[in-house]
Amino acid sequence: MARAVTSRRKLINTGIAWAIGLLIFFPILWTILTSFKTEAQAIASPPLFINFDWTLENYGVVMERSNYARFLWNSIIIAGGSTILGLIIAVPAAWSMAFVPSKRTKDILLWMLSTKMLPAVGVLYPIYLLFIQLGLLDSRAGLVIVMMLINLPIIIWMLYTYFREIPGEILEAARMDGATLKEELIYILTPMAIPGIASTMLLNFILAWNEAFWTLNLTAVDAAPLTAFIASYSSPEGLFFAKLSAASTMAIAPILILGWFSQKQLVRGLTFGAVK
Amino acid sequence: MAHTADTDFKTRLQSWLPKLVLSPSLAMVLVFVYGFILFSVYLSFTDSRLLPSYGWVGLENYSKLWRLSHWEISLTNMGIFAALYITICTVLGLSLAIFLDQKIRAEGLIRTIYLYPMALSFIVTGTAWKWFLDPGIGLENVLQTWGWTSFEFDWIKDRDFAIYTVVLAAVWQTSGFVMAMFLAGLRGIDNEILKAAQMDGASNWNLYRRIIIPQLRPAFLSAFVILSHLAIKTFDLVIALTGGGPGRATELPATFMYSYTFTRNQMGIGAASATIMLMTIAAIMIPYLYAELREKK
């Protein structure tokens, strides 16, 4: 919606918008800044903004003491593994529903998507018990599977909405020209589907990276990812403010970067496609 | 001949392939979501404690659950939390969207910043807020050392106010996301109608009140449904921010269920609470999804 706005007004609005933006971003910014302070500077009064001696000391300490690398590696394996596994299963399913829909397709989608909205506690027992039985507790493989399962409906749904945007006429034209199903898939669909698949991948990676309910419940030491690592800094103690900040910064850095590229996917995915 | 056989094969392939590739996903959702939910619901009718047990006790767990003050506190907290969270996020989200819609420089950049908190893990933001809100080292301390010595902000330690700190952190996390939903709604409004109304001399206020906001009905509905299901699912944030405390002051149904299952070994009662949560969400979500999908046909 565009309305005539004077340029002075626009400037003022922009200023206010930035002020609000700064306010919203402040907790994140402050965490990042604090991570570069010494513990004494972190709780100094009055607080120091940027005029302190920047140090990487906290990062060194956190990495050394807490085995940060292992948490990070677990996060990467769990988020990456579940995303790839999920795509392998979801791409054919979404392809089938988008291009060869049957009468039931809408109902199946609705039925699948509805599961994503149910609280995870509803399936916690069975999964927990199954994990004990199969010896999957605190294993990366187990978490990869669980993350894949809980995000599968949203992956299928996202892919479906992206695939639906590929014009069917192109496929028909290719068929008329005598393209086989294989050729159709490889030369026509795949290139057109890649942006949608990439978007879905990004969203799913972020969702899996941030997931905490399952990681807290199903991991202890070996498979614990960064969310569990952060949760271990549970009691505020002035002495460790800078180290907590360094740990948090390391946990959110990948998301701050990925988030930049994925805002559209985030809104689309989290609203179940209501906002494109 | 070869050609016909080939075509034949192709036709057959094309008829069964779609169903074949869809079936693993269907089977997984069927077993791991619906199957497991049914199992949980079943457990809620049994005398399971530390481990599942299959002694049928009917509705006993439900009647026990409703007599627990712990559950009552969780529900009251849920009521306070959901009402405030949904209302504040909607109002803030809509205001921010209307504001950003006024042609602002570098809008894309600002939108991303507003949306950032939602991209972060509730565990990370919850932990950060816990430190900020801690009277000893956070906001209270900062403002006191800046000379405002009478400033007090210890809600997170106060039984009567701790739940509002959960609201604060949750609102911070989600408002930008709600804004994005409303902004998309605003951008979808037909410009012609607005121009016509402006020509007729409608004031800005009337324009919003009578034309724009009524047209945002679908956005309001989506925001309401998505915020309510987020509210009922809230778990990580409370765990990171307050751990349900002080005392039980910030317990929500999800944290209640967690503690009854894993620390109190009352699986039957925990399952009963999970069943109630599932039914509540289903009652809100299913009509919405149904309407949403039907519309887009």
Side-chain angles (χ1 to χ4, degrees):
Chain A
M1 193 193 59
R3 258 164 298 109
V5 180
T6 61
S7 67
R8 204 170 74 97
R9 186 69 193 281
K10 190 169 159 179
L11 210 65
I12 295 170
N13 280 342
T14 307
I16 299 171
W18 276 103
I20 298 171
L22 191 68
L23 197 69
I24 292 175
F25 197 64
F26 186 75
I28 303 171
L29 182 70
W30 190 249
T31 304
I32 297 171
L33 286 176
T34 307
S35 72
F36 294 106
K37 297 173 185 172
T38 64
E39 292 296 353
Q41 287 166 338
I43 51 166
S45 35
L48 304 160
F49 282 95
I50 40 175
N51 52 331
F52 54 86
D53 306 318
W54 293 66
T55 171
L56 286 171
E57 192 191 301
N58 300 308
Y59 289 90
V61 173
V62 169
M63 284 200 202
E64 201 179 302
R65 279 200 204 156
S66 62
N67 215 342
Y68 170 80
R70 199 188 62 219
F71 290 106
L72 175 71
W73 185 235
N74 284 338
S75 273
I76 293 171
I77 297 277
I78 293 167
S82 68
T83 303
I84 292 165
L85 190 64
L87 280 176
I88 292 172
I89 295 164
V91 167
W95 164 81
S96 153
M97 288 195 279
F99 295 110
V100 201
S102 71
K103 262 186 283 175
R104 295 261 169 82
T105 298
K106 283 275 176 189
D107 298 316
I108 293 173
L109 262 175
L110 165 74
W111 175 76
M112 280 191 169
L113 198 57
S114 64
T115 64
K116 184 63 194 147
M117 294 162 184
L118 303 172
V121 290
V123 290
L124 178 59
Y125 294 131
I127 289 189
Y128 188 76
L129 296 170
L130 194 69
F131 266 47
I132 295 176
Q133 291 281 316
L134 300 176
L136 283 173
L137 270 186
D138 203 18
S139 75
R140 288 193 290 242
L143 270 184
V144 165
I145 294 167
V146 165
M147 292 287 178
M148 184 276 286
L149 285 174
I150 58 164
N151 286 326
L152 187 65
I154 203 108
I155 303 183
I156 295 179
W157 169 252
M158 285 284 282
L159 286 173
Y160 170 81
T161 62
Y162 280 114
F163 287 177
R164 281 294 297 267
E165 285 166 14
I166 297 173
E169 294 84 31
I170 294 182
L171 298 180
E172 265 164 45
R175 257 174 243 162
M176 299 277 250
D177 289 347
T180 63
L181 183 66
K182 203 175 101 190
E183 284 168 346
E184 190 185 305
L185 285 177
I186 295 174
Y187 297 110
I188 301 163
L189 267 182
T190 307
M192 295 184 81
I194 280 177
I197 294 176
S199 300
T200 310
M201 229 169 129
L202 204 59
L203 173 77
N204 192 64
F205 189 85
I206 293 177
L207 292 180
W209 185 276
N210 288 343
E211 221 298 317
F213 180 80
W214 293 105
T215 53
L216 291 180
N217 282 321
L218 299 177
T219 68
V221 186
D222 294 342
L226 286 170
T227 42
F229 166 62
I230 297 299
S232 69
Y233 280 84
S234 52
S235 63
E237 292 165 70
L239 268 169
F240 299 118
F241 202 8
K243 287 184 190 69
L244 166 81
S245 300
S248 299
T249 306
M250 284 194 282
I252 63 175
I255 300 304
L256 286 179
I257 297 160
L258 287 179
W260 189 259
F261 301 102
S262 65
Q263 42 166 323
K264 278 208 182 85
Q265 289 76 7
L266 208 62
V267 174
R268 188 167 169 161
L270 293 170
T271 57
F272 304 100
V275 175
K276 288 250 166 85
Chain B
M1 280 306 279
H3 183 254
T4 351
D6 187 46
T7 325
D8 229 36
F9 175 70
K10 243 177 70 186
T11 335
R12 263 181 26 229
L13 183 81
Q14 282 182 342
S15 65
W16 62 252
L17 191 65
K19 291 191 181 70
L20 185 78
V21 295
L22 185 57
S23 48
S25 304
L26 280 181
M28 269 187 247
V29 175
L30 190 66
V31 174
F32 291 101
V33 182
Y34 283 91
F36 282 8
I37 285 174
L38 282 180
F39 181 73
S40 295
V41 173
Y42 174 72
L43 282 181
S44 74
F45 295 108
T46 66
D47 57 358
S48 304
R49 283 172 160 267
L50 174 62
L51 290 167
S53 145
Y54 303 103
W56 186 265
V57 294
L59 289 169
E60 201 184 302
N61 287 320
Y62 289 89
S63 62
K64 269 188 201 156
L65 177 70
W66 287 102
R67 283 200 302 269
L68 286 172
S69 66
H70 194 162
W71 174 244
E72 206 185 300
I73 294 170
S74 313
L75 285 185
T76 314
N77 281 338
M78 186 77 251
I80 298 173
F81 174 74
L84 287 174
Y85 170 69
I86 295 171
T87 315
I88 299 173
C89 278
T90 308
V91 171
L92 271 183
L94 179 63
S95 318
L96 286 175
I98 289 176
F99 181 66
L100 269 204
D101 200 31
Q102 314 288 318
K103 293 253 159 197
I104 278 178
R105 253 169 240 167
E107 188 208 292
L109 189 67
I110 291 176
R111 225 174 36 211
T112 313
I113 290 173
Y114 287 9
L115 202 54
Y116 253 140
M118 193 64 182
L120 303 180
S121 168
F122 283 100
I123 286 289
V124 177
T125 56
T127 310
W129 276 103
K130 180 180 189 152
W131 290 63
F132 286 127
L133 295 173
D134 188 86
I137 53 173
L139 194 65
E140 182 184 286
N141 177 48
V142 169
L143 289 179
Q144 282 178 355
T145 53
W146 273 357
W148 189 356
T149 45
S150 61
F151 182 83
E152 269 186 42
F153 191 69
D154 57 356
W155 284 11
I156 199 163
K157 303 262 181 203
D158 187 323
R159 273 164 189 272
D160 296 327
F161 289 97
I163 189 71
Y164 302 108
T165 62
V166 181
V167 175
L168 176 69
V171 164
W172 171 76
Q173 188 119 19
T174 329
S175 291
F177 167 64
V178 179
M179 177 218 67
M181 293 178 69
F182 279 118
L183 197 58
L186 285 172
R187 297 278 148 88
I189 292 175
D190 188 1
N191 255 323
E192 297 303 312
I193 302 172
L194 297 178
K195 273 189 199 141
Q198 273 178 328
M199 297 267 247
D200 288 347
S203 67
N204 246 341
W205 166 245
N206 271 328
L207 205 63
Y208 274 103
R209 203 168 60 107
R210 293 182 189 257
I211 300 171
I212 297 173
I213 295 193
Q215 289 224 38
L216 286 177
R217 229 185 68 119
F220 273 105
L221 188 64
S222 308
F224 175 76
V225 170
I226 285 157
L227 289 171
S228 10
H229 105 277
L230 285 176
I232 297 173
K233 281 164 77 173
T234 301
F235 175 82
D236 333 4
L237 183 64
V238 174
I239 293 295
L241 189 65
T242 63
R248 290 171 186 168
T250 53
E251 288 278 12
L252 293 177
T255 60
F256 168 90
M257 187 269 183
Y258 181 78
S259 72
Y260 263 72
T261 310
F262 291 98
T263 54
R264 287 162 186 257
N265 300 328
Q266 293 277 4
M267 195 176 273
I269 293 176
S273 69
T275 306
I276 292 171
M277 289 167 64
L278 283 169
M279 281 173 11
T280 314
I281 294 192
I284 303 170
M285 295 308 301
I286 291 173
Y288 166 74
L289 273 180
Y290 210 68
E292 183 80 13
L293 280 179
R294 292 287 139 188
E295 242 168 57
K296 282 185 183 159
K297 222 166 192 176

